Amino acid sequence: NVWAFNKNFDKSKPTLLLNSHHDTVKPNQGYTNNPFEAIVKDGKLFGLGSNDAGGCLVSLLATFVYFYSNENLPYNIVMVASAEEESSGKNGLNSVLKHLPELECAIVGEPTLMQLAVAEMHPANVPDRASRRQASVEGNTSKLFEIFAASRA
C-alpha cells in the first residue's frame, strides 16, 4: 500500500479519499495467452492485470497530482494505491484506514464499463470498525458531489 496527503493538508478541513488498487489476480486455467507476457493483438493489450484498475489508478493519481500543491482547497485529499481489491483483503485499504484521518467521502476507481457506479452502505450494516468507517465514507455521496462542485467553482 502506498498513500500520500496533499501538500497543504489542514486537519480542520474535511478529507476526500482517492483510492484504487494496483494488485492483480492470480492466473487461472481460463487464460488463452501467457498471462506473464504482455501481448498486443488487434490494438488491445493482453496480460495479467492489463485490464483491471490500472486506468483508474492512473486517473486518480493524475487528479491527486493536479490538486497536490493547491493552497486554497476547501478539503484535504489523500491518495491510496492499495495492494488488494478495494476492501476484500485485510492487507489492502482496510489496513491503511488506521493511518488516515476521518474521511468525509471517497472516490474509488474500479472498471465499470464507463458507467458511474455509486456505492452506498449504512455503517450499521457492516461488522468491523475499519469496514464501518469505509462504508460511511462510501455512503456519503451527497458530500462527494458537494466537494466536487466546490473544486470546480
Side-chain angles (χ1 to χ4, degrees), residues 44-143:
K44 296 178 184 175
L45 175 65
F46 294 86
L48 189 62
S50 63
N51 66 343
D52 196 18
C56 300
L57 182 59
V58 169
S59 297
L60 291 171
L61 282 167
T63 300
F64 179 76
V65 168
Y66 180 84
F67 288 108
Y68 174 78
S69 296
N70 191 310
E71 295 178 7
N72 299 312
L73 290 176
Y75 51 88
N76 298 305
I77 302 174
V78 59
M79 173 70 212
V80 177
S82 49
E84 292 183 349
E85 295 281 335
E86 290 69 44
S87 64
S88 63
K90 65 179 181 176
N91 296 316
L93 181 59
N94 285 333
S95 69
V96 176
L97 289 174
K98 63 186 173 199
H99 302 288
L100 304 180
E102 190 68 30
L103 301 170
E104 193 71 27
C105 62
I107 299 174
V108 179
E110 179 70 13
T112 57
L113 299 175
M114 300 300 289
Q115 300 299 312
L116 178 63
V118 178
E120 294 192 33
M121 180 181 294
H122 192 277
N125 297 329
V126 183
D128 63 63
R129 181 186 173 281
S131 296
R132 269 198 304 276
R133 186 170 178 195
Q134 181 178 353
S136 68
V137 167
E138 291 172 352
N140 199 347
T141 53
S142 62
K143 190 64 174 179

Side-chain angles (χ1 to χ4, degrees), residues 7-19:
K7 182 176 182 179
N8 298 297
F9 189 91
D10 178 347
K11 290 181 182 180
S12 69
K13 295 179 180 180
T15 300
L16 165 67
L17 170 68
L18 304 178
N19 169 246

